Amino acid sequence: QVQLVESGGASVQAGGSLRLSCAASGSSYSSNCMGWFRQVPGKEREGVAAIYFDDGLTSYTNSVKGRFTVSLNNAKNTMYLQMNSLKPEDTGMYYCASDLMRHSFQCNTRPEEYGYWGQGTQVTVSS
């Protein structure tokens, strides 16, 4: 059974950094795309970054390019999101998700493509 557990959320000031972790267990993640998403109350869940487990191919939403980096430790089945130069608009509940995608070019940040989700970790950025 797939289990995803996020950690690392905190309250920080604008311009600061955080690293989120997503520990995955219960399944093989080969041929999986893993992604980071965020949501604030009253808004739809937004894709932030994604990475293909087998080859590390990444994709990002435009608002975080150059500031956020998604990475994997394949041996530990753990995905990370390094967030630098944080802005108040980065505030939200951050979720990790995974699903099977046969090819790395299919890996994307559309929430509807993912079937397995963690419980979320809160990131608050104050100005």
Side-chain angles (χ1 to χ4, degrees):
Q1 182 175 352
V2 172
Q3 185 174 14
L4 303 170
V5 180
E6 303 95 334
S7 61
S11 295
V12 296
Q13 297 226 328
S17 298
L18 281 176
R19 188 175 83 155
L20 306 183
S21 298
C22 173
S25 61
S27 175
S28 168
Y29 289 86
S30 178
S31 297
N32 268 249
C33 185
M34 300 185 72
W36 285 101
F37 302 82
R38 63 189 179 193
Q39 190 169 22
V40 295
K43 291 192 174 182
E44 291 188 353
R45 193 166 293 186
E46 173 193 23
V48 175
I51 186 165
Y52 196 65
F53 191 86
D54 291 5
D55 62 11
L57 187 68
T58 59
S59 62
Y60 298 90
T61 192
N62 285 339
S63 63
V64 307
K65 285 181 180 178
R67 300 189 298 123
F68 290 11
T69 302
V70 60
S71 62
L72 280 173
N73 182 326
N74 297 66
K76 294 184 178 180
N77 277 5
T78 301
M79 176 176 63
Y80 305 97
L81 184 68
Q82 178 67 42
M83 305 187 293
N84 299 326
S85 301
L86 281 160
K87 303 176 181 181
E89 51 264 43
D90 295 318
T91 293
M93 185 69 79
Y94 280 69
Y95 300 90
C96 69
S98 73
D99 213 321
L100 183 68
M101 296 185 195
R102 296 280 180 200
H103 305 286
S104 59
F105 66 82
Q106 297 172 306
C107 194
N108 61 74
T109 55
R110 294 189 291 271
E112 63 270 24
E113 303 278 343
Y114 292 77
Y116 301 97
W117 292 83
Q119 83 291 346
T121 186
Q122 177 69 35
V123 172
T124 303
V125 184
S126 58
S127 58

